[in-house]
Amino acid sequence: MNFAYTLVYVADVAASLAFFERAFGLPTRFLHESGAYGEVDTGAGSTTLAFVDHATARDSVQHDYVAADASPQ
């Protein structure tokens, strides 16, 4: 089995990419010109850690969800 992708839904893709570079040394591999999607270079070959903004994520899954930072739980 090969672990290929993890998508994390975030409020600010660029800020998330910057945080992962500062905190974990994972440089940005890709940031879409819209700013709605980006990936870090995990250094793990075929494993990708990607970030998607909430608006794009909601459009992609075609329903609403509660973001972790907005959840009372």
Side-chain angles (χ1 to χ4, degrees), residues 7-11 50-54 57-58 60-61 65 67:
L7 294 172
V8 181
Y9 301 152
V10 298
F51 301 89
V52 182
D53 71 10
H54 290 296
R58 286 183 176 100
S60 180
V61 298
Y65 59 86

Side-chain angles (χ1 to χ4, degrees), residues 33-69:
E33 62 188 36
S34 69
Y37 176 85
E39 301 174 352
V40 295
D41 184 352
T42 64
S46 62
T47 302
T48 299
L49 177 57
F51 301 89
V52 182
D53 71 10
H54 290 296
T56 303
R58 286 183 176 100
D59 185 51
S60 180
V61 298
Q62 298 182 347
H63 62 83
D64 200 9
Y65 59 86
V66 176
D69 64 344

Side-chain angles (χ1 to χ4, degrees), residues 13-50:
V13 172
S16 297
L17 293 171
F19 170 79
F20 271 76
E21 184 159 5
R22 280 191 321 273
F24 305 109
L26 301 175
T28 296
R29 176 172 38 194
F30 174 77
L31 176 60
H32 189 270
E33 62 188 36
S34 69
Y37 176 85
E39 301 174 352
V40 295
D41 184 352
T42 64
S46 62
T47 302
T48 299
L49 177 57

